[in-house]
Structures are given as C-alpha cells and as structure tokens.
Amino acid sequence: MEATQLSPGGEWLVVRCGYAHIQDLEIVNKEGHRWVLQFKDYLAEEALFPDGELPMGGLYPIHWTHDDAYFYFYPHINYSGGGGCFYRYFMQGLFRINLDSGAVSTVLPATSLGEGYEVSFSPDGRWMVYIQRRPVLVNLQTGEETTIGIGDDHAGNFFWSPDSSALVFTTCRDSKEDGSIIQSAINVYSLASNDLSRLLVVQKQFLRIEKWDENNVLRIVNREEKTEKNNYIYYDWSVGQFVTPTPTTQP
C-alpha cells in the first residue's frame, strides 16, 4: 500500500511510519488530533520471538467508514507459505479505532504466526466477510453473522459486486494424501437470497480472481498444476456470461 491514505471525507490522513521492517500507523486530522497505533500492541503474545523481539511486519489500513467515524486496520507478519490450495490469510487480527475518542476495539482477535484471516468490506460499507477456516458474512449494522457453507473446501480471494449485492470468491479442494489439487471453483453468494452458486468449476487446476475491472469484467487466472501455466478467463458481470472460452462446461 501507499505510505499515506486519505479518509473518504477527507478529514483524516493515515501515515505508515517507523522502521522499514516494523511499521506503525499515525492518524491525523485537519484540527491537529493525532492517534498513534504501534505494531507491537496488536500482536498475539505467541507471535513474538522468545526474546521478546518483534517479527518483521506492521500495521495496515483496510477500511474507513463512509462518515469518517471509524477506521479499521490489521497487523501483518511477514512470512512465506505454499501448497496446492494455498490462500494466504495474511491478517493477524482486525481492529477498529473510534476516530473521535481514539478508543480501539477488537473485531477479530490477534493470531499467532502461520494463522490469520482474509477480510473484505463491501463497497457500500454495510457488510464484511472474513475467513479463517470458513467464510463468515457480517452485517456491520446489526452484528449478525452468517457462515457460508463450503464443506471441506479451502476458500479465499473475495471480491464484491459493485452494488454490494453479491460476493464472489474461489474455493479449492485438495488431496489429503499428497496435497494435489482435485477441483477449484468460482462461487457467487447472493446476499438477497442467501444462495450459493457456481460460475465455473475446473478439475486439477487452480482458479484465482485477479481483478474486477472498471468495465465490470472479472479477470480470472486458471493455473495448470502440472505446468504452472496461467490461462486467463474473462467473465462479464453486466451481461452474466463468459467472454472467453472456459476449460470446462459451466455447472
């Protein structure tokens, strides 16, 4: 992310500061109010090194409420990982600060190294989805949570429709014996009907949504596991159809 970020209403500015490998956040407004958030204060104890040293990482902004009243941020610890069905849950917690009072509340508790969340906010600011083991949809106005059923599949790579009516994400199923990919899919969850459907399913390949562009087209990467070759598939959300050939028949 950029070193600075302006709130939607232009009232607050957040700045990443500190050492290059340990980044804190400083939030200031036009009147001179200032809040400093330190990376060390938002880590789980088990995430620290035995001698108390901090791991490499920092705090990162993720979401402002439209009224500039609250700001969400998360700690991230730098580490690598991999595997066939690999979704990198790189947020080691989620926190929210009241920009008026400076009070910070925990939204998702801090986790240790190797564990984390993926989090995404809807464009209208009414919804949040997070995943650690299963996707959970949160109504930010009521606090109500809905778990999205995906069986034993892995999930991640969340994208929202521009009108916030649908959540699109990928799932992947792997072999318990050798970790190889069995199946991957592009899924659509409708918030109006609470229904889960599939746009595309492939066998022994890994799907990933790379981008939802300004023309309302999803750019999907299809990686062949054996060759690690990337093929691109495009889905026009506006008309509800693929604009390139798909590797399998749509379900």
Side-chain angles (χ1 to χ4, degrees), residues 19-229:
Y19 296 105
H21 64 288
I22 300 175
Q23 294 281 301
D24 300 328
L25 291 178
E26 183 174 341
I27 312 170
V28 296
N29 72 358
K30 298 176 181 178
E31 284 72 43
H33 294 295
R34 174 174 172 265
W35 309 114
V36 177
L37 306 169
Q38 295 187 307
F39 177 46
K40 65 180 179 63
D41 293 335
Y42 300 96
L43 292 176
E45 185 176 347
E46 55 267 29
L48 302 176
F49 293 126
D51 58 3
E53 286 289 320
L54 295 177
M56 292 181 62
L59 297 178
Y60 293 81
I62 183 173
H63 178 69
W64 304 83
T65 56
H66 293 325
D67 57 3
D68 279 12
Y70 295 92
F71 169 70
Y72 291 78
F73 63 97
Y74 64 91
H76 166 60
I77 301 171
N78 297 332
Y79 68 93
S80 60
C85 290
F86 179 61
Y87 295 101
R88 190 175 182 185
Y89 303 151
F90 58 88
M91 300 181 185
Q92 271 74 50
L94 181 66
F95 301 87
R96 186 182 75 172
I97 181 171
N98 181 317
L99 293 169
D100 181 49
S101 67
V104 176
S105 56
T106 299
V107 181
L108 298 172
T111 64
S112 60
L113 183 65
E115 297 182 351
Y117 309 91
E118 181 177 344
V119 177
S120 182
F121 289 84
S122 64
D124 64 7
R126 294 184 57 194
W127 303 91
M128 179 186 85
V129 63
Y130 73 89
I131 184 170
Q132 188 175 37
R133 294 177 179 84
R134 292 288 179 270
V136 179
L137 184 69
V138 183
N139 185 322
L140 294 174
Q141 295 178 325
T142 65
E144 181 181 0
E145 295 190 352
T146 303
T147 300
I148 302 174
I150 57 167
D152 293 328
D153 290 356
H154 305 272
N157 195 213
F158 295 102
F159 283 80
W160 291 89
S161 63
D163 63 359
S164 303
S165 67
L167 176 67
V168 182
F169 62 98
T170 60
T171 52
C172 182
R173 186 178 306 160
D174 56 11
S175 168
K176 291 181 173 59
E177 284 73 30
D178 59 9
S180 61
I181 295 173
I182 297 173
Q183 177 179 283
S184 185
I186 302 291
N187 307 269
V188 179
Y189 182 81
S190 168
L191 275 71
S193 62
N194 296 321
D195 286 334
L196 184 66
S197 59
R198 286 182 161 179
L199 286 182
L200 179 66
V201 180
V202 296
Q203 310 300 323
K204 298 182 179 180
Q205 299 172 54
F206 184 72
L207 296 172
R208 177 174 58 85
I209 305 167
E210 185 175 84
K211 185 179 180 181
W212 195 319
D213 68 23
E214 60 277 3
N215 296 318
N216 224 2
V217 173
L218 280 75
R219 178 173 174 171
I220 301 166
V221 179
N222 179 33
R223 191 192 75 219
E224 298 178 8
E225 187 177 25
K226 288 185 178 180
T227 64
E228 295 190 354
K229 176 183 177 183

